[in-house]
Amino acid sequence: MGRTLYGYLCIGLNLYALALFAWVILSWVRVSSTHPLARLQVMLDRIVYPVVLPIRRYVPPLRIGGVALDLSVILVFILIRVIC
C-alpha cells in the first residue's frame, strides 16, 4: 500500500540501471546523426555521463589487447545492486 522512500529510491536506481544498460548496448552501434536512434543516444548520454565521468577519473578503462573494458560502468551497476 504505502511505499517507503527506500522503495522509490530502488525504483529510480533500477530505471537508471536500465538506461545505463541501453547506453552500453547503443554504444556498440554506429548510427548517423539523422537516424532516430541518434536522439536516444544523445538523451542517454545526458543521463549517464554525469555519473560515469567522475568515476572514470579514478578508475581508467582496463586494456585487454586492443579492447578497453570500461570499469566505471560496471562499478555503477555494482553500486546500484549493493544499494538495492
Side-chain angles (χ1 to χ4, degrees):
M1 189 156 149
R3 290 213 184 247
T4 63
L5 181 60
Y6 178 73
Y8 287 118
L9 175 69
C10 285
I11 290 170
L13 287 174
N14 284 324
L15 289 173
Y16 188 83
L18 183 64
L20 187 63
F21 182 72
W23 180 74
V24 168
I25 298 300
L26 287 175
S27 72
W28 298 339
V29 178
R30 293 209 181 250
V31 294
S32 69
S33 60
T34 59
H35 195 278
L37 281 180
R39 295 181 88 185
L40 179 61
Q41 282 181 331
V42 169
M43 182 186 70
L44 290 173
D45 284 346
R46 289 181 182 168
I47 294 170
V48 171
Y49 274 135
V51 174
V52 172
L53 286 180
I55 297 172
R56 281 186 186 167
R57 287 185 207 139
Y58 300 105
V59 183
L62 179 64
R63 298 303 250 161
I64 304 172
V67 178
L69 180 63
D70 190 3
L71 297 176
S72 61
V73 174
I74 295 170
L75 286 175
V76 172
F77 275 121
I78 290 172
L79 184 62
I80 289 171
R81 292 299 147 224
V82 166
I83 293 172
C84 292

